Amino acid sequence: MNDHSTDENSTDENRTSVSRRAVLTAAAWSMPVVAVAVATPARAASGDATGQVWVETVQGGTWVNPEYYGLWVQIRNNDTQSPSLPVEAITSATITVSLPLSAVGELQPVVIANAGGSSPVVPALPTTDPTWVAAGASDDGAGNAVYTLVYSGSIEGQGLSGVTFGILGPAGGLVSPVDYVITATGEPTDGYVDVFTGTLF
């Protein structure tokens, strides 16, 4: 299992900080973007031609009307473990996002944005691959709300897919800062699970 993380004080050269609040006059939902994190940790090569889902980039902040936490998560089919063999395409992937129950509102599936059609538009964040769907929200029994997103399609070796989504905040207003944990898996798989931790401000 890989574990990588970011916070606003990180000095990781692959991470870029941007302003805490941006003015978005044309947005259906506006959002201050607070962080961009890019993680491509090294992994030993093997003879296995199965790809792996890695959390490549996370960007997020808050949507202020209505009050949602917002995230964009990009995944990659990492094929560096099999440099001399064609890597199988990832045909399905699952992302889970965990936040403390105390920081969220009513448990409901995430709202997917930037996917075309009637989905909310957040110009500050990238377009969503339209094959992502919200698969539910639950209490994990350990004080966390867990939100699930599911991808179906085809991600070739070193290919990317991303999803922008919002999580409803509590009635009293958004909590800041709030820590989150993202896990990502895919099929076909060798059992690898990627874990990414970060903080929304």
Side-chain angles (χ1 to χ4, degrees):
M1 178 183 293
N2 181 56
D3 188 358
H4 46 94
S5 61
T6 184
D7 61 39
E8 193 169 35
N9 298 318
S10 172
T11 58
D12 183 350
E13 66 183 10
N14 291 326
R15 185 184 170 279
T16 303
S17 291
V18 294
S19 66
R20 175 155 163 49
R21 186 152 307 265
V23 178
L24 303 170
T25 57
W29 292 357
S30 60
M31 174 179 177
V33 178
V34 297
V36 177
V38 178
T40 53
R43 185 169 173 85
S46 75
D48 189 349
T50 302
Q52 294 180 340
V53 170
W54 287 55
V55 177
E56 176 84 358
T57 307
V58 176
Q59 185 175 343
T62 56
W63 292 339
V64 296
N65 185 27
E67 293 196 338
Y68 280 76
Y69 302 103
L71 284 167
W72 175 65
V73 178
Q74 182 181 61
I75 60 171
R76 176 184 295 276
N77 180 359
N78 183 34
D79 64 1
T80 58
Q81 62 172 334
S82 180
S84 62
L85 297 171
V87 171
E88 292 182 74
I90 297 293
T91 56
S92 65
T94 301
I95 290 174
T96 64
V97 183
S98 299
L99 285 83
L101 279 168
S102 59
V104 302
E106 177 184 349
L107 283 179
Q108 60 184 23
V110 301
V111 177
I112 294 179
N114 298 354
S118 61
S119 70
V121 176
V122 185
L125 292 178
T127 301
T128 291
D129 180 332
T131 62
W132 285 95
V133 296
S138 62
D139 179 341
D140 71 356
N144 301 299
V146 180
Y147 301 88
T148 302
L149 298 105
V150 176
Y151 166 85
S152 61
S154 182
I155 308 173
E156 300 297 327
Q158 293 303 315
L160 300 167
S161 180
V163 56
T164 293
F165 57 93
I167 295 171
L168 181 65
L174 298 177
V175 176
S176 180
V178 60
D179 295 331
Y180 61 86
V181 178
I182 297 171
T183 62
T185 60
E187 294 288 343
T189 183
D190 59 1
Y192 178 80
V193 177
D194 197 22
V195 178
F196 185 101
T197 62
T199 302
L200 290 173
F201 295 93

